[in-house]
Amino acid sequence: MAEIAPLRALRYTNKAGSLEDLICPPYDVLAPGDREAYLSRSPYNSMHLEVPDTYPHAAELLRDWMKQGILKQDSAPAMFLYEEEFQVRGKRCGINFSCAG
């Protein structure tokens, strides 16, 4: 059985800039050139961590961003609801991945 536990989220602070310049899609849906476009949006775009030049560099960036106050960890653990909607063959589906028909 799965064990579900609360976590202390790591979030961008206002020091990071506009959220639209900071987020990126998952690495497995990137088209050629997308990585560079996201990297150029902000020195704090999450692409710098998600698809780094090297993993040690990503670890260094993460530590630096936390020291600079770009990212801050929540003081208390919490549970988070993840909800997603999408279409499959023209039918609306949800997080439970079930589609009628």
Side-chain angles (χ1 to χ4, degrees):
M1 172 157 314
E3 184 177 322
I4 301 173
L7 60 90
R8 291 176 52 214
L10 195 59
R11 302 175 192 266
Y12 280 109
T13 67
N14 290 337
K15 284 178 129 183
S18 172
L19 190 59
E20 67 187 24
D21 293 330
L22 303 173
I23 59 173
C24 66
Y27 71 92
D28 60 344
V29 298
L30 296 176
D34 282 355
R35 179 180 182 270
E36 293 72 22
Y38 285 103
L39 292 176
S40 70
R41 285 187 178 183
S42 168
Y44 307 118
N45 188 284
S46 57
M47 184 65 69
H48 291 278
L49 301 177
E50 189 172 327
V51 187
D53 294 324
T54 66
Y55 292 112
H57 184 242
E60 182 181 338
L61 281 177
L62 181 60
R63 284 190 297 272
D64 288 348
W65 293 0
M66 291 179 74
K67 283 180 190 173
Q68 295 172 33
I70 300 301
L71 294 172
K72 183 177 180 186
Q73 192 168 34
D74 287 351
S75 58
M79 304 290 280
F80 297 86
L81 173 66
Y82 179 78
E83 195 170 32
E84 185 174 344
E85 289 185 13
F86 52 94
Q87 287 194 355
V88 174
R89 297 186 195 110
K91 297 187 187 311
R92 188 171 159 194
C93 305
I95 192 69
N96 64 6
F97 301 106
S98 64
C99 295

